[in-house]
Amino acid sequence: MLLQQLISGFATGGLYALAALGLVLIYKTSDVVNFAQGEMAMFSTFIAYTTMTSYGMSYWEAFILALLFASVLGFIVERFFIRPIQNAPVLSLLIVTLGLMMIVNGIAGWAFGFETHSFPAIVGGELKIFGAVISKSNLLTLVITVFIMGILFYMLKYTLAGIAIRATSENPTIARLMGIAVNHVYSITWVVSSILGAIAGMFIAPTTFLDVNMMSSVLLKAFTAAVLGGFTTFVGPVVGGLILGVLENIASGYISAQLSSTFAFALIVIMLWIRPTGLVGQKVGKKV
């Protein structure tokens, strides 16, 4: 049972890490905490579901279409809602993302209804590993998640776009002076964040069922993963997400499944008390 919980925990934690990476990408480049990311991911997941059920698309065709929709949605949100007020106080930006969260949730309810739907898994069936029964879907989810994170980290480290993102996250003013189109970087990070959220949503939907509120708890877990690992580094959300997924699955298996959200909140409080910067985060100072 422990092996089963560990593999399921790594698969779930990888999805938390994807969503948390999206949050941290936006936060590090533009100092915005995007509370609407969960609802944007939910809407993209509904797009995939609708194209499969109403238009007969295959899973992977719907998957790609949903990612394209997510990228467009992320661009629109940044360009028309965030950029015009990017110099506003942080509280104003938070209120805008909270407002977007409510707006997207309401539009999704109006367009798709408030019923709960079953979402197909990537693949069916189970495997037996050392006596533990492991879902093939969980294993494939874990492999795909690791692959996506590998591509993302490669992009951040070795590509011009990745270097521009890292430079902007360190100091947007100096990045502008060095010739980096900071506004384009903001658009790229919102697009990438929206895509990461959509991937997490489509992989999580088969286990939680699809409805307009499916991503609310996932967004909480993504924040927990980011706080646990550290909001000031791109590695932190991955570490935090994997640890959270494993601990949450072990707690659900051996204690109570109803305490998973309580466990996430408790983890945030404990981490902020013991190490406010997260497990791999560092204190960031600014000269004034």
Side-chain angles (χ1 to χ4, degrees):
M1 182 176 177
L2 179 60
L3 178 61
Q4 201 166 319
Q5 297 295 334
L6 286 174
I7 294 178
S8 297
F10 278 122
T12 305
L15 298 179
Y16 294 159
L18 282 181
L21 267 173
L23 291 172
V24 171
L25 270 173
I26 291 175
Y27 176 76
K28 279 182 66 64
T29 53
S30 54
D31 286 331
V32 177
V33 178
N34 182 22
F35 287 102
Q37 180 172 340
E39 305 308 301
M40 292 165 65
M42 172 271 296
F43 206 100
S44 298
T45 307
F46 261 111
I47 292 295
Y49 175 80
T50 302
T51 55
M52 282 189 289
T53 56
S54 300
Y55 299 99
M57 284 190 176
S58 68
Y59 180 93
W60 293 110
E61 288 173 337
F63 185 89
I64 293 171
L65 182 63
L67 296 190
L68 292 174
F69 173 84
S71 63
V72 173
L73 180 61
F75 175 81
I76 290 173
V77 168
E78 189 279 330
R79 182 64 183 84
F80 298 103
F81 294 95
I82 301 299
R83 189 180 299 183
I85 60 166
Q86 63 184 6
N87 295 320
V90 174
L91 183 59
S92 299
L93 292 168
L94 290 178
I95 291 173
V96 168
T97 61
L98 285 170
L100 286 171
M101 178 182 72
M102 302 300 294
I103 290 170
V104 174
N105 185 278
I107 293 175
W110 169 76
F112 306 113
F114 293 93
E115 298 83 8
T116 299
H117 307 277
S118 59
F119 195 87
I122 306 175
V123 64
E126 297 173 336
L127 293 174
K128 281 191 176 182
I129 303 176
F130 299 111
V133 179
I134 309 298
S135 167
K136 289 182 181 179
S137 180
N138 278 344
L139 282 176
L140 188 56
T141 296
L142 179 59
V143 170
I144 293 174
T145 301
V146 170
F147 177 73
I148 291 170
M149 286 192 290
I151 291 176
L152 181 62
F153 279 110
Y154 178 86
M155 183 197 78
L156 288 172
K157 189 169 183 179
Y158 296 108
T159 66
L160 290 177
I163 294 171
I165 289 172
R166 287 191 287 124
T168 303
S169 69
E170 291 295 329
N171 194 313
T173 302
I174 294 179
R176 281 194 177 95
L177 293 175
M178 297 300 292
I180 294 174
V182 172
N183 285 336
H184 291 169
V185 172
Y186 291 157
S187 295
I188 290 172
T189 54
W190 276 83
V191 167
V192 172
S193 174
S194 185
I195 290 173
L196 293 177
I199 293 171
M202 282 183 281
F203 285 169
I204 288 171
T207 59
T208 62
F209 296 102
L210 177 62
D211 63 39
V212 294
N213 297 313
M214 59 166 283
M215 291 297 290
S216 56
S217 64
V218 177
L219 184 64
L220 166 65
K221 307 295 173 56
F223 276 117
T224 305
V227 171
L228 181 60
F231 249 104
T232 60
T233 172
F234 294 122
V235 178
V238 177
V239 174
L242 295 176
I243 291 175
L244 176 62
V246 170
L247 293 180
E248 184 185 60
N249 269 267
I250 290 176
S252 298
Y254 290 98
I255 302 175
S256 172
Q258 284 73 33
L259 294 177
S260 61
S261 294
T262 304
F263 180 78
F265 272 119
L267 205 55
I268 289 178
V269 173
I270 293 171
M271 180 51 62
L272 290 174
W273 178 47
I274 297 175
R275 186 176 170 83
T277 58
L279 291 174
V280 297
Q282 297 177 348
K283 291 183 178 179
V284 178
K286 291 186 178 180
K287 291 183 180 181
V288 295

